[in-house]
Structure formats: structure tokens, C-alpha cells
Amino acid sequence: MDRRLVLNAHLAVARGHRVDVMEAVDEESGRASVLQIVDLDSGVRYVRDETARGDVVRWSGRVLDCTVTIGTGARTVLTIDVEGDGAGATNARTALLGADAAVEAAKAEADRWGGSGGVPEPETDRFW
């Protein structure tokens, strides 16, 4: 699975380098913010100077693409091929919020169609 990170900083990470990413996941919104990126091949560590709020999730991957925008607004877009299942934990809270809404919608639909709590009608006697 590929992940795209958009950061308000200049981070030059070469294509093919392995990176370790640490994110803080906001409990209310489910949004993740990058706290630290470590280029495992070059040893360069990029750290945000803000404190973490929420759950901290760590995952790793390999850089597929890196675009650094130079000018008035510092911006880097990293596309990372995620190794393992670490990134799933990042979006798990968001997925659960969506799943809760889907469950409620399914319950409402089941109630509309009669639900599953009804008693089945008895079978009629068959004469052959």
C-alpha cells in the first residue's frame, strides 16, 4: 500500500531509500500528523519540534517519489511504499469511525425491511 505524506518543510529523501515514520493520531478526528521521519539509508533524521498529542504510531517503508517545492511555501510530497501493516494502524481510528456509521445504517435498513428479530411463520402441511 502506498502512502502520500504532504509536509510543510523541505525534506530531500532519495528514491529507493528506506524511511521510518512516526505519527501522532488525533483521537477525536483520526487525523495523523508526522512527528519524525528517519532516512534509514543516509541516517538523516527530520524531527518536528512540536509535542505529540494522541496515540503515536510508527511505521516504515521505501520512498517511491519525493517532490520538494522551493519558494515562499516550504512543501515536500513523499510517496512511500509501506512495508508490513504499520500504516493500517494509522488509519484504523478513521476506519472505525466510518465502520460505526456503516453499522448504524445497516441496522436502520434491517429495521426497515423487518429485521432479523421476527419469528418465522410456521410451515404449512404438505400433501403429496
Side-chain angles (χ1 to χ4, degrees):
M1 178 175 98
D2 294 351
R3 294 274 316 267
R4 178 166 287 172
L5 300 177
V6 180
L7 307 162
N8 293 328
H10 291 139
L11 282 74
V13 182
R15 178 183 295 162
H17 278 212
R18 294 174 305 119
V19 293
D20 188 45
V21 180
M22 190 180 303
E23 295 178 315
V25 180
D26 185 10
E27 294 177 8
E28 294 177 9
S29 67
R31 300 186 84 194
S33 61
V34 177
L35 299 175
Q36 173 178 305
I37 296 178
V38 179
D39 185 340
L40 298 173
D41 294 330
S42 69
V44 177
R45 181 182 310 262
Y46 301 97
V47 181
R48 175 178 254 153
D49 61 355
E50 299 175 10
T51 59
R53 294 181 193 164
D55 298 331
V56 175
V57 177
R58 189 175 187 175
W59 54 275
S60 61
R62 188 170 297 279
V63 176
L64 298 176
D65 185 46
C66 178
T67 303
V68 180
T69 304
I70 300 170
T72 57
R75 180 177 159 165
T76 300
V77 179
L78 285 171
T79 305
I80 300 173
D81 180 24
V82 177
E83 299 169 353
D85 56 356
T90 303
N91 294 326
R93 191 170 307 277
T94 304
L96 287 174
L97 292 174
D100 288 340
V103 166
E104 292 303 319
K107 285 180 181 178
E109 190 68 18
D111 289 341
R112 192 182 92 163
W113 286 95
S116 62
V119 178
E121 295 181 17
E123 287 189 31
T124 58
D125 292 333
R126 296 182 185 179
F127 296 101
W128 299 93

